[in-house]
Amino acid sequence: MPTDSGWTPSVPEAVHVTRGNQESTAAGIYGVIVSSAVMSASHADSAGKVIGAVLVTLMVYWGAERYARIVAERIHEGHRPNWSTVRHQLTHGWEIVTASTLPLLVLAVFTVLGSELFTAVLAALICSTALLCVAGWAVGRNGRLSTGERIVSAIVAGMFGVFFIALKTLLH
C-alpha cells in the first residue's frame, strides 16, 4: 500500500507490527491480537480455512473501523464527508490486516511442510506472541523506559499471545 509520499513498503516492512506512526502501530498490534484470537478459537479443519477466517475477520474489522471513522466525522463535523476524507479512510488502517502476514505465513509453511493443523496454528500463535513481545519492547524505544521497564512491557504484550496459546491448547 503506498504511503502519503507514494512510496510502497517492501514485503519485510509489511509484516512489522510497529509502524511509522501511532495510529498504524496501534492498528498492527490490534490486528495481531485479533488474528490470534481467531486462530485460537477456530475449529476449521484446514489451514486454508483458518487463514480465510482470519483474513475475513480482519477485513470486517478494518471495514467497521473505517466506517466508524467516517460516521464519527459526519457526526462531529456536521457535514457529509468529502471524497478526500472517504479516500483517506479507504487507503489507511490496512496494518490491521498486513501485520498478521508473518503469523499466517508461518501457519501456511508449517502446513506445507506436513505439520498437523494444531501444530501449525500453535507455531503461528508463537510467532504472533513474538511479534507482540517485540512491540512491547519497542514501546520503550521512544518512551524512555529503562531496560527493566521495557522487559515488563514486552512481557505484558506477550501475555496476550500466551493467553491465546493457552486457549488453543484448552480448546484442542
Side-chain angles (χ1 to χ4, degrees):
M1 175 178 85
T3 61
D4 291 337
S5 67
W7 175 80
T8 303
S10 64
V11 172
E13 273 191 53
V15 297
H16 291 169
V17 175
T18 56
R19 303 297 178 131
N21 64 52
Q22 179 180 348
E23 191 73 27
S24 297
T25 298
I29 292 168
Y30 188 58
V32 171
I33 292 170
V34 169
S35 68
S36 296
V38 173
M39 286 188 279
S40 307
S42 176
H43 294 293
D45 58 3
S46 72
K49 289 179 182 177
V50 173
I51 291 168
V54 168
L55 291 175
V56 167
T57 302
L58 291 173
M59 292 295 295
V60 167
Y61 273 69
W62 172 84
E65 198 251 345
R66 298 289 105 189
Y67 171 75
R69 287 178 178 275
I70 291 170
V71 169
E73 183 172 326
R74 165 72 183 207
I75 291 168
H76 291 281
E77 298 295 324
H79 59 79
R80 289 186 180 110
N82 59 32
W83 174 242
S84 175
T85 297
V86 172
R87 187 185 70 222
H88 174 81
Q89 291 305 330
L90 294 177
T91 58
H92 286 77
W94 284 102
E95 295 82 5
I96 196 170
V97 178
T98 61
S100 294
T101 302
L102 189 58
L104 293 178
L105 282 173
V106 167
L107 174 60
V109 167
F110 268 72
T111 301
V112 167
L113 294 176
S115 295
E116 291 184 21
L117 181 58
F118 176 78
T119 303
V121 169
L122 197 58
L125 290 172
I126 290 168
C127 177
S128 294
T129 303
L131 288 174
L132 292 169
C133 287
V134 167
W137 177 258
V139 164
R141 184 175 323 138
N142 294 323
R144 299 184 181 155
L145 299 179
S146 69
T147 300
E149 291 168 325
R150 287 179 84 175
I151 290 169
V152 169
S153 178
I155 289 170
V156 169
M159 291 308 292
F160 280 100
V162 170
F163 170 78
F164 292 122
I165 291 169
L167 180 62
K168 185 64 179 178
T169 304
L170 291 172
L171 292 176
H172 183 64

